[in-house]
Amino acid sequence: MTITVLTLVMILTAYLAGSISSAVLVCQMRGLPDPRTQGSGNPGATNVLRIGGASSAAMVLFFDMLKGALPAYLAFRIGVEPVSLGLIAIAACVGHIFPIFFKFKGGKGVATAFGAMAPIGHDLALSLIGTWIVMVLISRYSSLAAIITALLAPAYTWYLDDRFIIPVSMLSALIVIRHKDNIRRLLKGEESKVSRKKRDKSKE
């Protein structure tokens, strides 16, 4: 019973942590446009890269991963069973996707989901990061890289530590579902490629 109550508290805490929009806060601190109204309109690292450059995007990526990694790591350390661990990780992602502090308008949840998977082990974290980077370099599509990485994540987990296949599969499914519009655009050849743009005040 104690574990159940603790798990529920951790699910709520993970959601609240996920609701802190790194993209919006970093853009505010750096005097950049609101990522929800610029570029793709997605408050995530890729869109911040477009409107604010690599350093701002790196900050967003780090904090988005951190808010997924911390709840998952704490749950892992106290011995929360895998399904509950998956729910805690998903709560952090749902917070990122539907942030209560930012009118429920959030991002795709990719970095937060990958951050939640990272505490399983360094090998998995490196495999996820490596796959995403390789796919971006090959395709130039951040969304396609995220989808392929998400689809491969359960296979990596099965090979490296099969105790966590269920929570990783839950997170992977969430990522793919969140990219349904991107999948449609990819199939139509209308998806935007990754690009780094300097701020141009004459365009707006």
Side-chain angles (χ1 to χ4, degrees), residues 44-61:
T46 301
N47 196 33
V48 172
L49 176 65
R50 294 187 182 105
I51 65 178
S55 62
S56 296
M59 290 178 63
V60 172
L61 182 64

Side-chain angles (χ1 to χ4, degrees), residues 7 17 22 27 50 56 63-64 74 86 135 154 166 170-171 173 198:
T7 299
S22 307
C27 286
R50 294 187 182 105
S56 296
F63 287 115
D64 279 352
L74 289 174
M135 291 310 305
I166 292 177
M170 293 164 70
L171 287 169
K198 294 181 180 180

Side-chain angles (χ1 to χ4, degrees), residues 13 29 60-61 69 73 75 94 111 114 116 122-123 132 147-148 174 178 184 196-197 203:
T13 302
M29 288 189 297
V60 172
L61 182 64
Y73 180 72
V94 171
F114 288 168
H122 294 108
D123 290 344
W132 187 86
I147 292 165
I148 291 176
L174 179 64
R178 278 292 290 168
R184 293 193 191 101
R196 177 184 174 184
K197 296 182 181 179
K203 296 179 180 180

Side-chain angles (χ1 to χ4, degrees), residues 65 114-133 149 156-157 160:
M65 292 185 70
F114 288 168
M117 296 179 194
I120 292 174
H122 294 108
D123 290 344
L124 178 61
L126 290 174
S127 297
L128 296 174
I129 294 170
T131 300
W132 187 86
I133 290 174
T149 304
Y156 292 151
T157 306
L160 296 169

Side-chain angles (χ1 to χ4, degrees), residues 81-175:
E81 54 101 15
V83 174
S84 295
L85 180 59
L87 293 175
I88 292 167
I90 285 178
C93 295
V94 171
H96 178 84
I97 296 167
F98 303 109
I100 192 172
F101 304 128
F102 294 88
K103 300 180 180 178
F104 300 101
K105 186 177 181 180
K108 299 289 186 182
V110 176
T112 304
F114 288 168
M117 296 179 194
I120 292 174
H122 294 108
D123 290 344
L124 178 61
L126 290 174
S127 297
L128 296 174
I129 294 170
T131 300
W132 187 86
I133 290 174
V134 169
M135 291 310 305
V136 167
L137 292 175
I138 292 173
S139 70
R140 305 301 297 174
Y141 290 113
S142 175
S143 58
L144 180 60
I147 292 165
I148 291 176
T149 304
L151 291 173
L152 289 174
Y156 292 151
T157 306
W158 174 80
Y159 179 76
L160 296 169
D161 193 337
D162 61 7
R163 294 175 299 166
F164 300 102
I165 288 179
I166 292 177
V168 168
S169 297
M170 293 164 70
L171 287 169
S172 295
L174 179 64
I175 291 173

Side-chain angles (χ1 to χ4, degrees), residues 9-21 67 71 88 91-96 98-102:
V9 170
M10 292 194 70
I11 287 172
L12 177 59
T13 302
Y15 170 77
L16 294 175
S19 291
I20 301 172
S21 180
K67 66 188 185 183
I88 292 167
C93 295
V94 171
H96 178 84
F98 303 109
I100 192 172
F101 304 128
F102 294 88

Side-chain angles (χ1 to χ4, degrees), residues 167-202:
V168 168
S169 297
M170 293 164 70
L171 287 169
S172 295
L174 179 64
I175 291 173
V176 174
I177 291 170
R178 278 292 290 168
H179 281 80
K180 62 183 186 299
D181 293 334
N182 302 86
I183 293 172
R184 293 193 191 101
R185 289 194 294 270
L186 285 165
L187 292 173
K188 293 179 180 178
E190 299 173 351
E191 181 74 337
S192 299
K193 292 188 175 183
V194 174
S195 63
R196 177 184 174 184
K197 296 182 181 179
K198 294 181 180 180
R199 293 179 65 191
D200 186 352
K201 295 182 179 179
S202 66

